[in-house]
Amino acid sequence: MNNHALDRLTGIFFVALGLAVVAGSWVMPRFEAQGASPYLAPGLTPGLIGIALGICGLILALRTKREDGAERSYWNTVIGTASNRNRAFAALALTLVYGAVLFGNVHFVLATFLFVFAFVCTFEVILKSEGSTHRAISTLIAAALLALVTSFGSYYVFQNLFLVRLP
């Protein structure tokens, strides 16, 4: 399957996903009977995201080849090299471990600290680009500081400003 056909199938998938999200958000309760503003409906944000996802999928599905016959695809540049594939799979694996394993099983601050620290270390120490000459120790210290600020900062913002209880 060539890249153009793969883009078209992916676009169709995202259009269908966007429509499903919009349909799901539409049937969510609106609390109008209690006098709530329409902007407070819990389905508003998912509905807007579903619309955006559907539009992006439609653009991806309907775009054509360039006039010179070359394909308009990003797959070769994004996943074409071994280095890019390693980075994409590392990001996917780290995100899945955070979302499926750590989040909900470990306190939010610790889970977020481990995720951010592992992410920075993976990309800046293990998968660093060629020609990078920085030291690993300074990167580990910077990763730890970034993870501390991110985990405690996001915990504070969600708990105290957004009033969202975190696990």
Side-chain angles (χ1 to χ4, degrees):
M1 177 178 298
N2 64 17
N3 289 335
H4 189 66
L6 188 58
D7 283 349
R8 181 155 295 156
L9 286 175
T10 305
I12 291 169
F13 170 78
F14 282 119
V15 167
L17 182 63
L19 289 173
V21 169
V22 168
S25 69
W26 186 261
V27 298
M28 292 180 76
R30 292 183 182 84
F31 304 116
E32 292 169 343
Q34 288 85 9
S37 168
Y39 299 112
L40 297 176
L44 180 65
T45 301
L48 293 174
I49 292 171
I51 289 170
L53 189 62
I55 290 170
C56 290
L58 194 60
I59 291 169
L60 185 63
L62 295 180
R63 61 184 198 167
T64 59
K65 290 185 178 184
R66 295 189 326 202
E67 291 178 10
D68 61 359
E71 296 181 5
R72 291 181 176 154
S73 176
Y74 302 105
W75 291 106
N76 286 339
T77 56
V78 172
I79 303 183
T81 66
S83 174
N84 286 346
R85 278 193 299 275
N86 290 341
R87 289 175 166 275
F89 290 132
L92 178 65
L94 287 167
T95 305
L96 286 175
V97 167
Y98 176 66
V101 177
L102 293 177
F103 198 78
N105 295 323
V106 178
H107 191 273
F108 177 81
V109 173
L110 178 61
T112 303
F113 175 84
L114 292 172
F115 172 70
V116 172
F117 183 76
F119 206 93
V120 171
C121 290
T122 299
F123 284 91
E124 292 296 324
V125 176
I126 299 170
L127 297 175
K128 66 182 176 182
S129 60
E130 299 299 324
S132 180
T133 58
H134 62 279
R135 297 183 319 170
I137 299 297
S138 62
T139 301
L140 293 176
I141 292 170
L145 290 174
L146 180 65
L148 274 172
V149 170
T150 302
S151 59
F152 282 108
S154 60
Y155 183 77
Y156 174 80
V157 167
F158 276 99
Q159 288 284 123
N160 297 322
L161 299 180
F162 296 150
L163 303 175
V164 173
R165 290 181 42 117
L166 296 172

